[in-house]
PDB file of all heavy atoms in Angstrom:
ATOM      1  N   ASP A   3       4.537   2.641  11.131  1.00 89.00           N
ATOM      2  CA  ASP A   3       3.620   1.542  10.840  1.00 89.00           C
ATOM      3  C   ASP A   3       2.918   1.829   9.514  1.00 89.00           C
ATOM      4  O   ASP A   3       1.872   2.487   9.477  1.00 89.00           O
ATOM      5  CB  ASP A   3       2.631   1.383  11.979  1.00 89.00           C
ATOM      6  CG  ASP A   3       1.591   0.317  11.696  1.00 89.00           C
ATOM      7  OD1 ASP A   3       1.858  -0.591  10.882  1.00 89.00           O
ATOM      8  OD2 ASP A   3       0.509   0.393  12.291  1.00 89.00           O
ATOM      9  N   ALA A   5       1.360  -0.146   7.420  1.00 85.00           N
ATOM     10  CA  ALA A   5       0.032  -0.761   7.297  1.00 85.00           C
ATOM     11  C   ALA A   5      -1.024   0.087   8.001  1.00 85.00           C
ATOM     12  O   ALA A   5      -2.114   0.318   7.456  1.00 85.00           O
ATOM     13  CB  ALA A   5       0.044  -2.180   7.852  1.00 85.00           C
ATOM     14  N   MET A   7      -0.867   3.345   8.661  1.00 93.00           N
ATOM     15  CA  MET A   7      -1.058   4.592   7.923  1.00 93.00           C
ATOM     16  C   MET A   7      -1.897   4.361   6.673  1.00 93.00           C
ATOM     17  O   MET A   7      -2.771   5.166   6.342  1.00 93.00           O
ATOM     18  CB  MET A   7       0.294   5.213   7.544  1.00 93.00           C
ATOM     19  CG  MET A   7       1.014   5.838   8.713  1.00 93.00           C
ATOM     20  SD  MET A   7       2.384   6.902   8.206  1.00 93.00           S
ATOM     21  CE  MET A   7       3.592   5.692   7.674  1.00 93.00           C
ATOM     22  N   ARG A  29      -2.337   5.462 -10.664  1.00 94.00           N
ATOM     23  CA  ARG A  29      -1.934   4.148 -11.198  1.00 94.00           C
ATOM     24  C   ARG A  29      -1.644   4.206 -12.692  1.00 94.00           C
ATOM     25  O   ARG A  29      -1.014   3.309 -13.224  1.00 94.00           O
ATOM     26  CB  ARG A  29      -3.011   3.107 -10.926  1.00 94.00           C
ATOM     27  CG  ARG A  29      -3.234   2.918  -9.434  1.00 94.00           C
ATOM     28  CD  ARG A  29      -4.155   1.805  -9.165  1.00 94.00           C
ATOM     29  NE  ARG A  29      -3.331   0.577  -9.134  1.00 94.00           N
ATOM     30  CZ  ARG A  29      -3.821  -0.624  -9.013  1.00 94.00           C
ATOM     31  NH1 ARG A  29      -5.103  -0.811  -8.931  1.00 94.00           N
ATOM     32  NH2 ARG A  29      -3.023  -1.670  -8.984  1.00 94.00           N
ATOM     33  N   LYS A  30      -2.102   5.246 -13.350  1.00 95.00           N
ATOM     34  CA  LYS A  30      -1.931   5.369 -14.801  1.00 95.00           C
ATOM     35  C   LYS A  30      -0.682   6.159 -15.183  1.00 95.00           C
ATOM     36  O   LYS A  30      -0.430   6.353 -16.365  1.00 95.00           O
ATOM     37  CB  LYS A  30      -3.153   6.039 -15.415  1.00 95.00           C
ATOM     38  CG  LYS A  30      -4.436   5.272 -15.180  1.00 95.00           C
ATOM     39  CD  LYS A  30      -5.641   6.047 -15.681  1.00 95.00           C
ATOM     40  CE  LYS A  30      -6.930   5.308 -15.324  1.00 95.00           C
ATOM     41  NZ  LYS A  30      -8.108   6.107 -15.678  1.00 95.00           N
ATOM     42  N   THR A  31       0.076   6.619 -14.201  1.00 96.00           N
ATOM     43  CA  THR A  31       1.246   7.434 -14.486  1.00 96.00           C
ATOM     44  C   THR A  31       2.439   6.561 -14.859  1.00 96.00           C
ATOM     45  O   THR A  31       2.406   5.333 -14.713  1.00 96.00           O
ATOM     46  CB  THR A  31       1.620   8.317 -13.282  1.00 96.00           C
ATOM     47  OG1 THR A  31       1.972   7.477 -12.182  1.00 96.00           O
ATOM     48  CG2 THR A  31       0.451   9.223 -12.890  1.00 96.00           C
ATOM     49  N   CYS A  42       0.412  10.358  -0.942  1.00 96.00           N
ATOM     50  CA  CYS A  42       0.360  10.049   0.497  1.00 96.00           C
ATOM     51  C   CYS A  42       0.955  11.199   1.297  1.00 96.00           C
ATOM     52  O   CYS A  42       0.369  11.655   2.287  1.00 96.00           O
ATOM     53  CB  CYS A  42       1.125   8.765   0.798  1.00 96.00           C
ATOM     54  SG  CYS A  42       0.329   7.261   0.222  1.00 96.00           S
ATOM     55  N   MET A  52      10.587   3.194  -0.615  1.00 86.00           N
ATOM     56  CA  MET A  52      11.288   2.135   0.133  1.00 86.00           C
ATOM     57  C   MET A  52      10.526   1.725   1.387  1.00 86.00           C
ATOM     58  O   MET A  52      10.631   0.580   1.826  1.00 86.00           O
ATOM     59  CB  MET A  52      12.714   2.553   0.484  1.00 86.00           C
ATOM     60  CG  MET A  52      13.660   2.487  -0.703  1.00 86.00           C
ATOM     61  SD  MET A  52      13.634   0.910  -1.606  1.00 86.00           S
ATOM     62  CE  MET A  52      14.173  -0.253  -0.368  1.00 86.00           C
ATOM     63  N   ASP A  53       9.743   2.632   1.947  1.00 85.00           N
ATOM     64  CA  ASP A  53       8.893   2.258   3.086  1.00 85.00           C
ATOM     65  C   ASP A  53       7.906   1.176   2.668  1.00 85.00           C
ATOM     66  O   ASP A  53       7.672   0.206   3.389  1.00 85.00           O
ATOM     67  CB  ASP A  53       8.093   3.463   3.596  1.00 85.00           C
ATOM     68  CG  ASP A  53       8.951   4.549   4.207  1.00 85.00           C
ATOM     69  OD1 ASP A  53      10.047   4.231   4.703  1.00 85.00           O
ATOM     70  OD2 ASP A  53       8.526   5.711   4.175  1.00 85.00           O
ATOM     71  N   ASN A  56       9.928  -2.151   1.982  1.00 74.00           N
ATOM     72  CA  ASN A  56      10.393  -2.745   3.244  1.00 74.00           C
ATOM     73  C   ASN A  56       9.243  -3.275   4.087  1.00 74.00           C
ATOM     74  O   ASN A  56       9.354  -4.350   4.673  1.00 74.00           O
ATOM     75  CB  ASN A  56      11.213  -1.735   4.044  1.00 74.00           C
ATOM     76  CG  ASN A  56      12.562  -1.489   3.454  1.00 74.00           C
ATOM     77  OD1 ASN A  56      13.104  -2.311   2.720  1.00 74.00           O
ATOM     78  ND2 ASN A  56      13.127  -0.333   3.757  1.00 74.00           N
ATOM     79  N   ALA A  57       8.164  -2.538   4.148  1.00 67.00           N
ATOM     80  CA  ALA A  57       7.022  -2.990   4.943  1.00 67.00           C
ATOM     81  C   ALA A  57       6.474  -4.304   4.407  1.00 67.00           C
ATOM     82  O   ALA A  57       6.172  -5.222   5.166  1.00 67.00           O
ATOM     83  CB  ALA A  57       5.931  -1.924   4.951  1.00 67.00           C
ATOM     84  N   GLY A  58       6.383  -4.405   3.088  1.00 54.00           N
ATOM     85  CA  GLY A  58       5.897  -5.638   2.485  1.00 54.00           C
ATOM     86  C   GLY A  58       6.830  -6.803   2.742  1.00 54.00           C
ATOM     87  O   GLY A  58       6.398  -7.899   3.093  1.00 54.00           O
ATOM     88  N   ARG A  67       8.016 -16.900   8.782  1.00 57.00           N
ATOM     89  CA  ARG A  67       8.576 -17.425  10.032  1.00 57.00           C
ATOM     90  C   ARG A  67       7.501 -18.089  10.874  1.00 57.00           C
ATOM     91  O   ARG A  67       7.774 -19.010  11.627  1.00 57.00           O
ATOM     92  CB  ARG A  67       9.246 -16.311  10.829  1.00 57.00           C
ATOM     93  CG  ARG A  67      10.596 -15.911  10.318  1.00 57.00           C
ATOM     94  CD  ARG A  67      11.334 -15.014  11.304  1.00 57.00           C
ATOM     95  NE  ARG A  67      10.608 -13.800  11.614  1.00 57.00           N
ATOM     96  CZ  ARG A  67      10.667 -12.669  10.909  1.00 57.00           C
ATOM     97  NH1 ARG A  67      11.416 -12.602   9.830  1.00 57.00           N
ATOM     98  NH2 ARG A  67       9.973 -11.617  11.281  1.00 57.00           N
ATOM     99  N   ASN A  70       5.021 -23.138   9.645  1.00 56.00           N
ATOM    100  CA  ASN A  70       5.882 -24.324   9.610  1.00 56.00           C
ATOM    101  C   ASN A  70       7.329 -24.013   9.988  1.00 56.00           C
ATOM    102  O   ASN A  70       8.258 -24.538   9.395  1.00 56.00           O
ATOM    103  CB  ASN A  70       5.866 -24.952   8.206  1.00 56.00           C
ATOM    104  CG  ASN A  70       4.502 -25.478   7.831  1.00 56.00           C
ATOM    105  OD1 ASN A  70       3.756 -25.909   8.707  1.00 56.00           O
ATOM    106  ND2 ASN A  70       4.170 -25.425   6.570  1.00 56.00           N
ATOM    107  N   ASP A  83       2.719  -9.592   0.333  1.00 58.00           N
ATOM    108  CA  ASP A  83       3.827  -8.678   0.609  1.00 58.00           C
ATOM    109  C   ASP A  83       3.727  -7.381  -0.182  1.00 58.00           C
ATOM    110  O   ASP A  83       4.594  -6.545  -0.109  1.00 58.00           O
ATOM    111  CB  ASP A  83       5.161  -9.364   0.289  1.00 58.00           C
ATOM    112  CG  ASP A  83       5.312  -9.693  -1.182  1.00 58.00           C
ATOM    113  OD1 ASP A  83       4.281  -9.834  -1.865  1.00 58.00           O
ATOM    114  OD2 ASP A  83       6.457  -9.814  -1.636  1.00 58.00           O
ATOM    115  N   ASP A  84       2.648  -7.177  -0.904  1.00 75.00           N
ATOM    116  CA  ASP A  84       2.528  -5.993  -1.751  1.00 75.00           C
ATOM    117  C   ASP A  84       1.470  -5.054  -1.184  1.00 75.00           C
ATOM    118  O   ASP A  84       0.306  -5.102  -1.573  1.00 75.00           O
ATOM    119  CB  ASP A  84       2.185  -6.422  -3.182  1.00 75.00           C
ATOM    120  CG  ASP A  84       2.360  -5.298  -4.178  1.00 75.00           C
ATOM    121  OD1 ASP A  84       2.367  -4.122  -3.753  1.00 75.00           O
ATOM    122  OD2 ASP A  84       2.495  -5.597  -5.366  1.00 75.00           O
ATOM    123  N   GLY A  92      -8.487  -2.891  -1.716  1.00 79.00           N
ATOM    124  CA  GLY A  92      -9.448  -2.406  -0.738  1.00 79.00           C
ATOM    125  C   GLY A  92     -10.185  -1.178  -1.214  1.00 79.00           C
ATOM    126  O   GLY A  92     -11.391  -1.017  -0.976  1.00 79.00           O
TER     127      GLY A  92
END
Side-chain angles (χ1 to χ4, degrees):
D3 176 24
M7 286 194 287
R29 298 187 86 185
K30 300 174 185 174
T31 63
C42 289
M52 284 309 298
D53 294 333
N56 287 337
R67 283 192 302 273
N70 295 329
D83 64 335
D84 193 340

